[in-house]
Amino acid sequence: CAAMSGFPAAAQPDIIRAVQKDEVYVRMLRDAMLDTARRCFNARTVVRHQQHVGVLATLWYHGLTTGCGWQTLGEEYTDLFQCTSDGAFPGAARRWLLVLLEALTPPLMERARAHARRISTRRERERDEADEHARRRRNGDDDARPGRGWNESGDGGEDDAPSSSFNTDALWDAHRVRAVLGKAAARLARVADDAALALFHPPTRHPGSSTDAAAGAELTDPTRGFLTRLHLAAFYARGHHYQVTKRLAGVRYVFTGHVGPEGRPGYGLLGVLLAARVAATAIGAAAAAMAKKDAGGGGARGDGVGIVSGGFAVRGPDGEEIGGGGDEAAGTGGGTGNTAGEGKKCALCLSPHDAATATPCGHVFCWDCVASWCAQKPECPLCRAPSRPQQLVRLGNMAL
């Protein structure tokens, strides 16, 4: 086992090729297990547990190869062997830890991304409500004030100060403690949400990605987030761990084959470029946050480009962006301007929506059009995001 230290470290292209081969075989095993499950159970049960079937397929594949001390089919194809940082063969505990990480990390990462997407959607809704309140207050509508359980004056209300019989120091101390703890909990929750957004779903918008396909690809990009991109930048620069699971388990690869005439290529330049992109994105996000803070932390979206550029790209059912497109949305306060009357037809048949149906990425088509499309090719016709037939959602009472 210690003899592995005499072999050179695996090159990045070989590692990527091995991982891609393993993903193909795991997908084939998963499809075979799903086909067997459909023969034994009803379709509803299979759809409900298909993610668990994927985890089981990954456990099965990596347990019979890595767990038992053998090469995976991808590693055998590229002449790679697993080893630790000192060149020794991984022990049984480390191998089975890697097997569990391979099976459990992808669904956990997907849950984290979904949670970050919900946070981003909630914050966008809160900004919409704040903009609406600001617009109404500018129009002199005193009824549209943020909901408060006490009077605006701050003194003399029933809820503001207790009655004379209960106005004791103990009651005021308890009230202050609850207020301080509430503010601290809200601040911690805000920090946790900011961290989740930065790591898994940063609200970035690029100037050249205003089309539906680019926006959909950005929203469903599995490498989106500073955590994944920093990991990839480290891999392309140093070439040790392509997967987060290998980094957590402390497993890397050595190459035992023959070096071809092309030598041992690397992706060092790509790692530098990716790191520069992550740094530029972080600097832009920090600058936008500081600009928003200097501007008073609010205001309508049309007041400044900084808030818009750091915001979440919200798309309507037809795929068009709403509420934040620069000059078009400035001063409209909400957003169903000129673009609201356009693009209300199915992108496949170019006719008004018949039995409108949404894909997981948010695009809307006719039921017959998108169902037949996804049955042949399980992806969105516009942005190519994964969309299986069982994930389609019928929009029964939605006015398009």
Side-chain angles (χ1 to χ4, degrees):
C1 294
M4 283 191 178
S5 58
F7 291 99
Q12 292 123 321
D14 295 330
I15 297 175
I16 295 176
R17 195 178 301 117
V19 172
Q20 291 175 343
K21 277 282 186 181
D22 288 335
E23 289 176 351
V24 170
Y25 290 121
V26 169
R27 195 178 304 116
M28 292 171 57
L29 179 60
R30 173 183 175 274
D31 292 342
M33 294 175 67
L34 284 174
D35 185 64
T36 303
R38 292 189 188 98
R39 297 174 185 272
C40 300
F41 306 98
N42 58 66
R44 187 186 298 272
T45 302
V46 174
V47 170
R48 187 166 61 248
H49 296 286
Q50 61 182 352
Q51 187 179 22
H52 301 152
V53 174
V55 173
L56 182 60
T58 306
L59 279 173
W60 195 343
Y61 178 81
H62 289 282
L64 292 177
T65 53
T66 301
C68 296
W70 299 93
Q71 289 175 288
T72 65
L73 296 178
E75 294 166 0
E76 185 178 358
Y77 177 77
T78 53
D79 295 322
L80 300 183
F81 276 90
Q82 297 179 3
C83 68
T84 60
S85 58
D86 55 358
F89 188 76
R94 189 186 296 266
R95 294 198 310 270
W96 282 103
L97 172 63
L98 179 59
V99 171
L100 293 177
L101 289 174
E102 292 280 2
L104 299 179
T105 300
L108 291 178
M109 291 287 287
E110 183 57 36
R111 286 177 178 269
R113 293 191 186 98
H115 176 65
R117 285 194 294 268
R118 287 194 296 269
I119 295 173
S120 181
T121 304
R122 187 182 71 242
R123 289 192 174 181
E124 182 68 18
R125 186 170 60 250
E126 291 173 355
R127 285 195 292 268
D128 289 340
E129 293 175 355
D131 291 347
E132 181 66 18
H133 282 302
R135 184 183 66 82
R136 291 185 178 180
R137 294 182 69 175
R138 285 196 302 268
N139 293 338
D141 187 359
D142 295 333
D143 295 332
R145 307 292 291 263
R148 300 175 62 180
W150 52 86
N151 15 9
E152 297 283 326
S153 59
D155 51 11
E158 285 185 17
D159 299 328
D160 233 2
S163 60
S164 58
S165 59
F166 294 97
N167 191 6
T168 62
D169 293 339
L171 183 59
W172 277 108
D173 290 342
H175 180 73
R176 291 193 188 96
V177 168
R178 285 196 298 269
V180 170
L181 291 179
K183 290 182 179 179
R187 190 175 294 111
L188 288 176
R190 183 78 180 183
V191 171
D193 290 350
D194 291 338
L197 284 174
L199 293 177
F200 300 104
H201 196 77
T204 57
R205 283 187 59 186
H206 305 288
S209 62
S210 59
T211 62
D212 292 342
E218 176 73 13
L219 295 180
T220 57
D221 183 9
T223 65
R224 186 177 185 183
F226 291 115
L227 178 65
T228 305
R229 289 180 178 174
L230 281 175
H231 169 75
L232 288 178
F235 166 73
Y236 289 134
R238 302 189 59 182
H240 293 319
H241 305 97
Y242 179 59
Q243 297 167 292
V244 178
T245 54
K246 298 288 196 307
R247 188 179 298 275
L248 294 177
V251 174
R252 56 183 65 184
Y253 285 114
V254 294
F255 180 70
T256 60
H258 298 285
V259 179
E262 70 279 1
R264 300 185 56 76
Y267 295 149
L269 179 60
L270 184 59
V272 174
L273 294 177
L274 185 56
R277 180 186 178 187
V278 172
T281 304
I283 293 173
M290 292 180 63
K292 181 178 178 181
K293 183 177 180 180
D294 293 340
R301 267 191 213 96
D303 294 341
V305 181
I307 299 176
V308 176
S309 62
F312 183 78
V314 181
R315 293 177 296 146
D318 54 358
E320 296 291 335
E321 288 190 7
I322 58 176
D327 294 338
E328 302 157 359
T332 59
T336 57
N338 297 333
T339 60
E342 301 176 1
K344 299 303 181 183
K345 296 181 179 180
C346 174
L348 295 176
C349 66
L350 301 181
S351 300
H353 292 99
D354 181 18
T357 303
T359 56
C361 56
H363 292 110
V364 180
F365 309 90
C366 300
W367 166 259
D368 292 335
C369 298
V370 71
S372 58
W373 176 285
C374 293
Q376 299 294 328
K377 185 182 293 186
E379 61 184 21
C380 175
L382 287 180
C383 66
R384 307 300 180 190
S387 177
R388 294 185 294 273
Q390 58 267 29
Q391 293 179 305
L392 300 176
V393 178
R394 172 75 169 87
L395 306 177
N397 297 312
M398 185 173 182
L400 296 175

